[in-house]
PDB file of all heavy atoms in Angstrom:
ATOM      1  N   ALA A 141      81.939 106.963 141.886  1.00 91.00           N
ATOM      2  CA  ALA A 141      81.410 107.879 141.041  1.00 91.00           C
ATOM      3  C   ALA A 141      82.424 108.722 140.263  1.00 91.00           C
ATOM      4  O   ALA A 141      82.373 109.002 139.062  1.00 91.00           O
ATOM      5  CB  ALA A 141      80.526 108.905 141.763  1.00 91.00           C
ATOM      6  N   LEU A 151      85.752 108.467 127.511  1.00 82.00           N
ATOM      7  CA  LEU A 151      84.937 107.847 126.438  1.00 82.00           C
ATOM      8  C   LEU A 151      84.314 108.947 125.572  1.00 82.00           C
ATOM      9  O   LEU A 151      84.311 108.805 124.367  1.00 82.00           O
ATOM     10  CB  LEU A 151      83.871 106.953 127.029  1.00 82.00           C
ATOM     11  CG  LEU A 151      82.895 106.264 125.979  1.00 82.00           C
ATOM     12  CD1 LEU A 151      83.705 105.360 125.021  1.00 82.00           C
ATOM     13  CD2 LEU A 151      81.898 105.456 126.748  1.00 82.00           C
ATOM     14  N   ALA A 335     111.116  94.116  22.184  1.00 80.00           N
ATOM     15  CA  ALA A 335     109.677  93.977  22.711  1.00 80.00           C
ATOM     16  C   ALA A 335     109.665  93.279  24.167  1.00 80.00           C
ATOM     17  O   ALA A 335     109.010  93.663  25.071  1.00 80.00           O
ATOM     18  CB  ALA A 335     108.849  93.275  21.808  1.00 80.00           C
ATOM     19  N   VAL A 377      87.469 112.536  39.805  1.00 86.00           N
ATOM     20  CA  VAL A 377      87.619 111.134  40.245  1.00 86.00           C
ATOM     21  C   VAL A 377      86.296 110.460  40.245  1.00 86.00           C
ATOM     22  O   VAL A 377      86.214 109.255  39.796  1.00 86.00           O
ATOM     23  CB  VAL A 377      88.345 111.072  41.673  1.00 86.00           C
ATOM     24  CG1 VAL A 377      88.349 109.577  42.096  1.00 86.00           C
ATOM     25  CG2 VAL A 377      89.654 111.671  41.541  1.00 86.00           C
ATOM     26  N   LEU A 416      89.338 105.738  48.812  1.00 91.00           N
ATOM     27  CA  LEU A 416      88.189 105.807  49.699  1.00 91.00           C
ATOM     28  C   LEU A 416      86.978 105.372  49.003  1.00 91.00           C
ATOM     29  O   LEU A 416      86.025 104.831  49.532  1.00 91.00           O
ATOM     30  CB  LEU A 416      88.159 107.225  50.233  1.00 91.00           C
ATOM     31  CG  LEU A 416      89.249 107.672  51.248  1.00 91.00           C
ATOM     32  CD1 LEU A 416      89.105 109.042  51.640  1.00 91.00           C
ATOM     33  CD2 LEU A 416      89.461 106.648  52.386  1.00 91.00           C
ATOM     34  N   THR A 486      90.769  92.704  54.061  1.00 65.00           N
ATOM     35  CA  THR A 486      89.749  91.703  54.414  1.00 65.00           C
ATOM     36  C   THR A 486      89.102  91.065  53.216  1.00 65.00           C
ATOM     37  O   THR A 486      88.267  90.266  53.286  1.00 65.00           O
ATOM     38  CB  THR A 486      88.545  92.410  55.160  1.00 65.00           C
ATOM     39  OG1 THR A 486      88.017  93.425  54.397  1.00 65.00           O
ATOM     40  CG2 THR A 486      89.039  92.959  56.539  1.00 65.00           C
ATOM     41  N   GLY A 492      98.312  95.025  47.704  1.00 48.00           N
ATOM     42  CA  GLY A 492      98.766  96.428  47.715  1.00 48.00           C
ATOM     43  C   GLY A 492      98.657  96.966  49.091  1.00 48.00           C
ATOM     44  O   GLY A 492      98.382  96.394  50.043  1.00 48.00           O
ATOM     45  N   GLU A 543     110.157 113.628  32.297  1.00 37.00           N
ATOM     46  CA  GLU A 543     110.666 112.326  32.054  1.00 37.00           C
ATOM     47  C   GLU A 543     110.506 111.854  30.727  1.00 37.00           C
ATOM     48  O   GLU A 543     111.361 111.163  30.126  1.00 37.00           O
ATOM     49  CB  GLU A 543     110.032 111.298  33.028  1.00 37.00           C
ATOM     50  CG  GLU A 543     110.413 111.430  34.488  1.00 37.00           C
ATOM     51  CD  GLU A 543     109.944 110.259  35.323  1.00 37.00           C
ATOM     52  OE1 GLU A 543     109.373 109.333  34.779  1.00 37.00           O
ATOM     53  OE2 GLU A 543     110.205 110.371  36.524  1.00 37.00           O
ATOM     54  N   ARG A 624     131.476 121.869  49.400  1.00 87.00           N
ATOM     55  CA  ARG A 624     131.046 123.284  49.488  1.00 87.00           C
ATOM     56  C   ARG A 624     132.187 124.119  50.095  1.00 87.00           C
ATOM     57  O   ARG A 624     132.440 125.206  49.655  1.00 87.00           O
ATOM     58  CB  ARG A 624     129.802 123.491  50.258  1.00 87.00           C
ATOM     59  CG  ARG A 624     128.531 123.209  49.322  1.00 87.00           C
ATOM     60  CD  ARG A 624     128.292 124.449  48.437  1.00 87.00           C
ATOM     61  NE  ARG A 624     127.320 124.164  47.453  1.00 87.00           N
ATOM     62  CZ  ARG A 624     127.718 123.836  46.220  1.00 87.00           C
ATOM     63  NH1 ARG A 624     128.994 123.761  45.864  1.00 87.00           N
ATOM     64  NH2 ARG A 624     126.787 123.540  45.228  1.00 87.00           N
ATOM     65  N   MET A 633     124.629 117.565  42.749  1.00 90.00           N
ATOM     66  CA  MET A 633     123.198 117.087  42.616  1.00 90.00           C
ATOM     67  C   MET A 633     123.117 115.814  43.620  1.00 90.00           C
ATOM     68  O   MET A 633     124.064 114.948  43.555  1.00 90.00           O
ATOM     69  CB  MET A 633     122.882 116.707  41.203  1.00 90.00           C
ATOM     70  CG  MET A 633     121.402 116.183  41.078  1.00 90.00           C
ATOM     71  SD  MET A 633     121.030 115.638  39.399  1.00 90.00           S
ATOM     72  CE  MET A 633     121.319 117.148  38.558  1.00 90.00           C
ATOM     73  N   LEU A 652     122.165 123.038  46.723  1.00 83.00           N
ATOM     74  CA  LEU A 652     122.220 121.989  45.673  1.00 83.00           C
ATOM     75  C   LEU A 652     121.689 122.486  44.349  1.00 83.00           C
ATOM     76  O   LEU A 652     120.816 123.411  44.312  1.00 83.00           O
ATOM     77  CB  LEU A 652     121.367 120.888  46.165  1.00 83.00           C
ATOM     78  CG  LEU A 652     121.803 120.173  47.497  1.00 83.00           C
ATOM     79  CD1 LEU A 652     120.781 119.140  47.899  1.00 83.00           C
ATOM     80  CD2 LEU A 652     123.210 119.571  47.393  1.00 83.00           C
TER      81      LEU A 652
END
Side-chain angles (χ1 to χ4, degrees):
L151 179 60
V377 174
L416 293 180
T486 58
E543 289 188 2
R624 275 281 164 265
M633 185 183 297
L652 303 174

